[in-house]
Amino acid sequence: MSAVPLHLAVALDGAGWHPAAWRDPAASPKALFTAAYWAQLVAEAEHGLLDFVTIEDSLALQTTLLDGHDGRADQVRGRLDAVLVASTIAPLTSRIGLVPTATTTHTEPFHVASSIATLDYVSTGRAGWRAQISGRRTEAAHFGRREVPELRPENLGDLDKAGVVRELFADAADAVEVVRRLWDSWEDDAVIRDVATGRFVDRDRLHYVDFEGTSFTVKGPSIVPRPPQGQPLVTALAHSRLPYEFAARGADVVYITPHDSEQARAIVREVREISGQVRDPAAEELRIFADLVVLLDDDAKGARERRARLDEIDGATYTSDAAIFTGTPGELADLLLEWRAAGLQGFRLRPAVLPTDLTAITRGLVPELRGRGAFRRAYQAGTLRGHLHLPRPASRYAGSRR
Amino acid sequence: MKQVILAAHFPGVNNHTVWSDPASGSQIDFASFVHLARTAERGRFDFFFLADGQRLREQRGRIHDLDVVGRPDSLTVLSGLAAVTDHLGLAGTVNATFNEPYELARRLATLDHLSGGRAGWNVVTSSDAFTGENFRRGGFLEHSQRYERAEEFVRTVRELWDSWATGDLVADPATATFARREAGKFAHRGTHFDIGGHFTVPRSPQGRPLTIQAGDSEGGRAFAAATADAVFSRHSRLEEGKVFYRDVKSRLAAHGRSPDSLKILPGVTFALGDTDAEAQENADHIRRQQVSPQTAILLLEQLWNRDLSAYDPEGPLPEIDPDVSEDSIIKGRTRMSRDPLETAAEWRALAESKRLGIRDLIIEVTGRQSFIGSPSRVAEEINEFVQGDAADGFILVPHLTPGGLDDFVDRVVPLLQERGVLRAEYETTTLRGHLGLEEHR
Ligand SMILES: Cc1cc2nc3c(=O)[nH]c(=O)nc-3n(C[C@H](O)[C@H](O)[C@H](O)COP(=O)(O)O)c2cc1C
């Protein structure tokens, strides 16, 4: 019996992560843009007592290219705004965390802070944010405010040398800092409703954040009072040193993409080392989750056949930044526990096909993990931070009077 | 007979919202929004409405602390409400100055999908550098350009909404076609926006979510006539309402639009009672709650444009005249537009003749409720306004969160339904449908 249960999240996107998922007989491709579709998926994840779901998003159509529109009609194209999808699901669920994606590059940090704080109110303390960088020229052209070079495999090295990527991450770090300051800008007890003095708020408990970064400034305070969790969960996907640094500075959870337990061990070591250098020593320990695409079946052969069938439909072998697991829920449980020994706190599973592989997680994997003493039998906390054993932090401004 | 359009305004961050009453609940807990929205839906209202402001108000360089402060992101809270209501329209105020068309078009189209066609957008255009300090791009817009940008903004947003045609979302595994190849393609080359690419949200149920406009200047009215589906107006008295109504409706023909295609909806307040006399008592009580001694001084300062904190709220008006220099002491909301010296003279005369101190005077000259009376009187007056072409309906602004609409829905709504001017059951599913507006499927 493992002492510490692991944490499980599910990454929701379209019909699932395999590009042919929408053509699976179990899929409901016509429903992808309805509230009912998303509500059913998240209800299923909550039924499995998962820690949270993430919802993918971007400010451009999906593409098979690194940058630019691929014009493919045979894969899912189009997405709803992830924060708003999360907010619609919130009143229909009660325990599971909701972590939509929002970009740090084009979306105003002030708007991100307000909308995630609002999601935290709508969900009574279950909001998170997957902070994502948008480096693509395709996305920039939808805003027309920045000149951005096209990303091509052959010029990535040059862009790296020119500092373009470093700048994007520095900008993202500023955005996260602004958002976190805004969440703290109202002290918890700012609303006083003091009839004697006629004051609704104590303005000494509202704080200008006065952020001054290299490329922008934000005044504050937030228009939204401090959210129920104080600081909603900040998460980021990271594949290399710069994003590890970004996550170590500002995130509560980082998703990494090892392809075996050895790699997992090496990445965990690197992330911990970086954290030691750049993370605020007073901050809670960064939670490290590994991402895995999962394709599950009751027998391993069946899973492999499903995968082959999907690849055949799509006309290409599916590859991913994350490892792709094909097998039974029991085998997956063993693998997760083996990888966990590398120092991971949890996993973010990307179901290849929805709802098939989600249901296999909640009704197959979860009982397997429980049988190994490695997963909760009931939610212990009412907030997302609570699920991850993160305390509710005091506002950084608490007690400081202007 | 014209139908009466009704919208429920979530109580705002101004002194109209009474927070000192024991019945006053949270301004930010989701439960408050749910209560008001469900009450409005029970009353078969057309839509729920949220105002917006992107910076906390300040007076004399300090955050204004006497009124309710703090509110949610409009579209996020409306998306939550989409899950707990079935028919009610969901309209949010979103600033065209501090947003980008691509992103806002996505969010509105998303809300329209999530709500099954109930999304509305109140386009506001504030351009002040004060609010701009909260944004990366800062206060970049000349006041004179605000409607120019807003007009191009709305046009661009509609181009984005139209970039997916009906039928572009195929989702047919048999033909291996998820979306048509050209779906979402757009290019807009204008003065304020030079953008192109592909939009990510398939055509939403309304095609074109409802557009509301709430500016009162010549530019605002022209903008409304050219582009809006509804106007949120300040003209809530019968005679001025008729004048405004005629003015805005008469501008429509020039744009090839019918008078019915733009709905005029003044924001109004109300006080009810079993009898007209009791309603008047309630109205007076609410007014006193709305104007605390501190608020009285503050509202006086807004006209005087001076620090009057040393004055006694129960005492006489200041002898010193208002400061008419350009520099306003109020930030984050519009200054009173009347001539300060002239208004001060009027107020002094009134205070003298009625022997009113500062607080009583302020109660008298600001914010009297639009409709005061028994349920039958209020229903009668509301209907007269609409049939007399002073309005097409109203955006009701209750003074209490979240229960401020309960009495109205329990007592006035049935009378409007009896008169046949308010639906007994919803007969349409979209917000455009509720208002009888052309669909853009
Ligand atoms: C009834 C009414 C309600 C308004 N509500 C808001 C609001 O919630 N948020 C906001 O930023 N501006 C609001 N405004 C301001 C207007 O959108 C507009 O920016 C302002 O009136 C200046 O435009 P104008 O010069 O045409 O009047 C409102 C205006 C009116 C008349």
Side-chain angles (χ1 to χ4, degrees):
Chain A
M1 166 118 181
S2 329
V4 193
L6 51 77
H7 297 284
L8 274 189
V10 160
L12 299 177
D13 188 19
W17 288 72
H18 194 289
W22 72 276
R23 292 153 80 177
D24 189 271
S28 28
K30 284 205 160 63
L32 296 194
F33 303 92
T34 64
Y37 173 77
W38 293 93
Q40 269 170 22
L41 293 176
V42 181
E44 182 60 34
E46 187 170 66
H47 175 81
L49 309 186
L50 304 194
D51 291 74
F52 60 92
V53 295
T54 61
I55 303 172
E56 299 301 301
D57 203 359
S58 91
L59 293 168
L61 281 183
Q62 300 91 324
T63 178
T64 44
L65 307 174
L66 188 58
D67 196 352
H69 182 62
D70 67 1
R72 282 183 72 157
D74 63 338
Q75 296 183 354
V76 170
R77 293 293 179 265
R79 282 193 183 103
L80 299 177
D81 180 273
V83 176
L84 300 188
V85 169
S87 195
T88 287
I89 297 164
L92 304 173
T93 50
S94 59
R95 290 302 193 96
I96 192 161
L98 304 166
V99 183
T101 302
T103 173
T104 56
T105 312
H106 300 293
T107 303
E108 287 278 357
F110 195 80
H111 290 322
V112 173
S114 300
S115 60
I116 301 290
T118 301
L119 177 62
D120 209 37
Y121 276 102
V122 176
S123 64
T124 53
R126 297 181 285 128
W129 170 31
R130 186 170 90 77
Q132 173 168 267
I133 284 151
S134 312
R136 297 191 166 112
R137 193 166 70 172
T138 329
E139 289 158 292
H142 293 156
F143 290 82
R145 282 168 49 200
R146 297 176 186 218
E147 277 303 321
V148 175
E150 185 182 357
L151 302 184
R152 275 178 278 120
E154 64 276 13
N155 73 359
L156 279 184
D158 295 345
L159 295 180
D160 223 12
K161 274 194 219 107
V164 173
V165 181
R166 183 166 292 279
E167 227 168 80
L168 275 171
F169 277 100
D171 191 68
D174 283 356
V176 171
E177 172 67 14
V178 167
V179 168
R180 285 196 178 280
R181 284 193 199 179
L182 287 166
W183 287 338
D184 278 350
S185 63
W186 288 57
E187 292 184 40
D188 290 320
D189 53 1
V191 173
I192 52 173
R193 293 184 185 241
D194 184 40
V195 178
T197 58
R199 293 177 306 150
F200 179 80
V201 287
D202 176 355
R203 61 179 153 219
D204 288 343
R205 294 178 226 180
L206 300 180
H207 301 272
Y208 295 109
V209 304
D210 281 327
F211 178 82
E212 292 191 22
T214 43
S215 64
F216 67 95
T217 62
V218 173
K219 181 78 183 171
S222 173
I223 55 164
V224 189
R226 193 151 194 258
Q229 293 182 102
Q231 290 279 324
L233 196 75
V234 178
T235 75
L237 174 64
H239 303 98
S240 61
R241 187 158 188 101
L242 267 180
Y244 295 155
E245 276 176 25
F246 166 67
R249 275 212 176 83
D252 300 298
V253 176
V254 62
Y255 315 114
I256 60 170
T257 53
H259 281 245
D260 55 43
S261 63
E262 263 326 291
Q263 271 185 20
R265 188 161 284 116
I267 297 172
V268 168
R269 201 181 308 122
E270 187 179 357
V271 170
R272 292 280 173 234
E273 199 182 287
I274 293 171
S275 289
Q277 294 156 11
V278 306
R279 194 170 176 83
D280 173 3
E284 291 288 320
E285 191 179 76
L286 179 64
R287 279 21 178 193
I288 307 178
F289 282 35
D291 265 23
L292 274 170
V293 178
V294 298
L295 227 141
L296 301 166
D297 213 320
D298 288 342
D299 68 286
K301 184 159 160 287
R304 280 195 301 276
E305 280 168 11
R306 271 187 66 216
R307 181 172 173 180
R309 209 160 46 238
L310 286 164
D311 283 355
E312 193 189 310
I313 294 174
D314 191 51
T317 304
Y318 175 54
T319 58
S320 170
D321 56 328
I324 304 173
F325 174 87
T326 314
T328 69
E331 289 167 353
L332 179 58
D334 291 338
L335 180 101
L336 298 188
L337 292 181
E338 183 203 326
W339 283 30
R340 195 260 295 264
L344 298 167
Q345 283 74 53
F347 295 87
R348 186 176 75 137
L349 304 178
R350 308 179 184 175
V353 175
L354 291 169
T356 312
D357 292 305
L358 170 63
T359 317
I361 290 168
T362 51
R363 306 197 181 226
L365 173 67
V366 162
E368 290 285 350
L369 286 171
R370 276 193 198 125
R372 292 160 175 77
F375 198 67
R376 64 171 69 87
R377 290 176 185 279
Y379 281 115
Q380 304 294 328
T383 67
L384 174 53
R385 292 187 71 91
H387 297 332
L388 295 172
H389 309 295
L390 290 166
R392 186 179 188 282
S395 160
R396 72 193 64 193
Y397 302 107
S400 74
R401 293 287 186 261
R402 286 189 288 120
Chain B
M1 253 198 310
K2 281 162 76 184
Q3 291 289 298
V4 174
I5 294 166
L6 289 179
H9 188 304
F10 191 82
V13 295
N14 50 51
N15 78 295
H16 179 74
T17 304
V18 171
W19 53 259
S20 57
D21 194 282
S24 160
S26 168
Q27 88 284 27
I28 192 69
D29 287 350
F30 186 57
S32 292
F33 296 90
V34 174
H35 181 104
L36 189 72
R38 286 199 168 140
T39 306
E41 190 162 72
R42 182 158 58 82
R44 306 295 181 253
F45 276 43
D46 291 270
F47 62 97
F48 180 91
F49 182 90
L50 279 175
D52 177 63
Q54 292 294 318
R55 177 138 181 209
L56 301 188
R57 291 161 49 201
E58 294 186 5
Q59 187 141 339
R60 285 192 278 116
R62 305 173 72 190
I63 289 169
H64 177 53
D65 58 1
L66 302 182
D67 296 337
V68 168
V69 188
R71 52 171 138 214
D73 175 72
S74 295
L75 298 185
T76 307
V77 108
L78 293 177
S79 298
L81 291 176
V84 297
T85 54
D86 294 318
H87 291 91
L88 188 66
L90 302 166
T93 300
V94 188
N95 199 301
T97 307
F98 301 109
N99 282 283
E100 295 296 322
Y102 190 90
E103 192 159 41
L104 186 55
R106 276 193 95 217
R107 300 186 84 214
L108 287 163
T110 295
L111 176 61
D112 207 42
H113 277 286
L114 294 173
S115 63
R118 298 186 279 138
W121 169 31
N122 179 32
V123 187
V124 297
T125 58
S126 64
S127 57
D128 58 300
F130 173 76
T131 304
E133 285 179 357
N134 280 336
F135 296 95
R136 296 180 70 133
R137 61 177 321 161
F140 64 101
L141 198 65
E142 287 294 319
H143 185 68
S144 60
Q145 286 194 330
R146 70 201 189 288
Y147 280 112
E148 200 185 287
R149 179 179 157 107
E151 189 276 327
E152 191 178 330
F153 195 115
V154 172
R155 195 149 38 88
T156 310
V157 162
R158 287 179 177 167
E159 286 164 18
L160 289 161
W161 287 338
D162 287 342
S163 68
W164 284 71
T166 314
D168 273 357
L169 177 66
V170 181
D172 179 20
T175 57
T177 310
F178 185 82
R180 293 210 183 113
R181 222 170 279 277
E182 294 292 296
K185 191 165 181 197
F186 75 96
H188 177 99
R189 311 277 169 230
T191 321
H192 292 271
F193 308 106
D194 183 0
I195 59 178
H198 291 80
F199 190 55
T200 69
V201 184
R203 192 167 193 81
S204 73
Q206 289 186 109
R208 183 181 287 186
L210 191 81
T211 309
I212 305 168
Q213 195 286 139
D216 200 23
S217 58
E218 177 59 30
R221 294 178 186 204
F223 174 61
T227 58
D229 300 307
V231 174
F232 178 12
S233 102
R234 284 204 178 95
H235 304 284
S236 56
R237 309 281 172 210
L238 190 62
E239 287 314 315
E240 52 159 2
K242 285 182 179 172
V243 172
F244 179 77
Y245 191 96
R246 263 198 306 276
D247 175 61
V248 176
K249 295 257 179 174
S250 72
R251 296 167 187 251
L252 293 169
H255 300 279
R257 303 181 61 188
S258 78
D260 287 346
S261 67
L262 178 67
K263 307 298 183 190
I264 308 291
L265 308 174
V268 292
T269 56
F270 58 89
L272 298 172
D274 288 344
T275 60
D276 290 346
E278 190 189 281
Q280 187 58 56
E281 271 172 40
N282 290 340
D284 293 343
H285 174 67
I286 295 166
R287 290 295 299 136
R288 286 200 86 70
Q289 289 182 311
Q290 288 170 333
V291 184
S292 68
Q294 295 85 355
T295 296
I297 294 295
L298 186 108
L299 292 176
L300 197 67
E301 285 180 341
Q302 289 181 2
L303 182 72
W304 253 255
N305 203 30
R306 291 179 186 281
D307 178 354
L308 304 176
S309 54
Y311 285 80
D312 176 4
E314 308 302 336
L317 289 176
E319 306 211 332
I320 184 172
D321 275 333
D323 175 357
V324 292
S325 62
E326 277 301 295
D327 202 19
S328 173
I329 59 163
I330 322 159
K331 296 276 164 65
R333 71 181 301 185
T334 33
R335 194 170 156 181
M336 288 185 196
S337 53
R338 287 164 292 187
D339 175 346
L341 291 174
E342 213 172 280
T343 311
E346 281 169 26
W347 286 9
R348 282 189 180 121
L350 187 68
E352 199 147 307
S353 72
K354 288 199 173 180
R355 302 181 163 279
L356 303 175
I358 290 174
R359 185 180 181 199
D360 288 323
L361 176 87
I362 291 289
I363 288 172
E364 183 92 6
V365 296
T366 65
R368 195 180 71 90
Q369 291 89 345
S370 322
F371 297 108
I372 301 171
S374 64
S376 63
R377 172 185 285 272
V378 170
E380 190 63 48
E381 283 185 10
I382 282 181
N383 194 35
E384 267 172 31
F385 258 75
V386 171
Q387 307 311 333
D389 284 347
D392 292 313
F394 299 98
I395 296 183
L396 294 182
V397 194
H399 72 281
L400 272 184
T401 309
L405 211 55
D406 296 0
D407 269 355
F408 186 93
V409 165
D410 290 337
R411 308 181 66 187
V412 180
V413 159
L415 302 178
L416 292 171
Q417 289 168 330
E418 263 172 37
R419 283 175 167 77
V421 294
L422 179 65
R423 63 181 73 78
E425 294 300 335
Y426 287 103
E427 287 152 11
T428 40
T429 58
T430 67
L431 176 51
R432 299 191 81 85
H434 298 342
L435 298 191
L437 293 168
E438 183 197 350
E439 302 274 358
H440 291 263
R441 298 236 164 97

